Amino acid sequence: MNILLARGWSPYDILTQALVEGMRIVGVDFRDGILFVPEVLMAANAMKAGMGILKPLLAETGAPKVGKMVIGTVKGDIHDIGKNLVCMMMEGAGFEVVDLGINTSVETFLDALEAHRPDILGMSALLTTTMPYMKTVIETMKAKGLRSDYLVFVGGAPVNEQFAEAIGADAYCRDAAVTVETAKRMLHQRKAA
Ligand code: B1M
């Protein structure tokens, strides 16, 4: 990380081309039985340490907050690297972020919406078995008459545009940069309306 910084790489390029790309390859090797859970955990820890170095460099400029997001990895799922990246980039872009962490139940999401009154609810899922929980959260919001009060964004490797539409989310965010762009665009549209 420090070597790349010293070579003049931008923090964003280090993030996307070294850390995220490295983790993509780890994922392929994990899938193919070349790497195992302990090695993936080591890679995850290395990535977290790298993100710790980059965070202040990507951090906010002190500008007024442009909006607020509550985000969590859904119940049953403990993957948090992608979500943490989204938090980092959103904070860097001037959003206030309330991170609920991993394994987040619908009750925790709803309590946080009430306590923090964000503009956006973000949900992350990395497993095909935990993706459907995003729908559970949205359906519960609907049942309580809260759905239209918030923008709901979903993301994570197995999630896609079609799934987001099918469960009634407002947007599928392919990565952290897209999350920032989408948040800015949709909040702007909301305010204009
Ligand atoms: Co897991 N794991 N894992 N794992 N793991 C995957 C997801 C898997 C695809 C690996 C594989 O088989 N190739 C596979 C899922 C298969 C499936 O569901 N079809 C898998 C599996 C099977 C498992 C276990 C079941 C393994 C086991 O125990 N036998 C287990 C499940 C535990 C659980 O959650 N209950 C498990 C455990 C783990 C570790 C703990 C070892 C570790 C997680 C460590 C941690 O997160 N603290 C781990 C890791 C590291 C991975 C891979 C290798 C990497 C995930 C990652 O961090 N990617 C992953 C393979 C892969 O995805 N390539 C894999 C880097 C990160 C930057 O990308 O998370 O996609 P990503 O986030 C992106 C976007 O998706 C998006 O923006 C991010 C940044 O650009 N995004 C959002 C994500 N969330 C968003 C939310 C938003 C917006 C955008 O809200 C608005």
Side-chain angles (χ1 to χ4, degrees), residues 53 88 90 93 96-97 114 137 190:
I53 296 173
M88 234 166 82
M90 286 291 278
E96 186 180 345
V97 176
E114 200 181 326
V137 176
R190 269 213 163 180

Side-chain angles (χ1 to χ4, degrees), residues 99-179:
D99 182 4
L100 303 177
I102 55 172
N103 197 22
T104 312
S105 68
V106 62
E107 294 80 14
T108 306
F109 277 120
L110 293 187
D111 288 349
L113 292 182
E114 200 181 326
H116 301 286
R117 299 264 158 215
D119 305 289
I120 302 163
L121 169 66
M123 289 187 277
S124 180
L126 263 287
L127 299 172
T128 44
T129 48
T130 55
M131 283 163 69
Y133 199 77
M134 293 172 160
K135 184 169 188 218
T136 304
V137 176
I138 292 176
E139 290 302 320
T140 312
M141 287 171 78
K142 280 187 191 161
K144 295 196 179 285
L146 298 171
R147 175 64 188 89
S148 57
D149 297 346
Y150 305 96
L151 288 169
V152 178
F153 291 2
V154 292
V159 179
N160 58 31
E161 195 98 49
Q162 242 178 337
F163 176 77
E165 201 175 312
I167 64 170
D170 293 295
Y172 158 64
C173 303
R174 191 184 66 234
D175 59 29
V178 168
T179 310

Side-chain angles (χ1 to χ4, degrees), residues 19-20 23-32 36-45 47-48 51 69 71-73 76-86 102 120-130 134 152-158 171-177 179:
L19 292 181
V20 173
M23 193 53 92
R24 187 188 66 78
I25 293 167
V26 168
V28 171
D29 286 354
F30 184 36
R31 181 198 64 204
D32 295 344
F36 297 93
V37 170
E39 288 147 323
V40 178
L41 263 177
M42 281 167 67
N45 286 339
M47 175 139 186
K48 281 187 177 180
M51 281 161 65
M69 178 174 76
I71 187 168
T73 300
D77 202 322
I78 63 166
H79 295 86
D80 66 354
I81 294 173
K83 168 189 66 59
N84 294 348
L85 211 48
V86 171
I102 55 172
I120 302 163
L121 169 66
M123 289 187 277
S124 180
L126 263 287
L127 299 172
T128 44
T129 48
T130 55
M134 293 172 160
V152 178
F153 291 2
V154 292
Y172 158 64
C173 303
R174 191 184 66 234
D175 59 29
T179 310

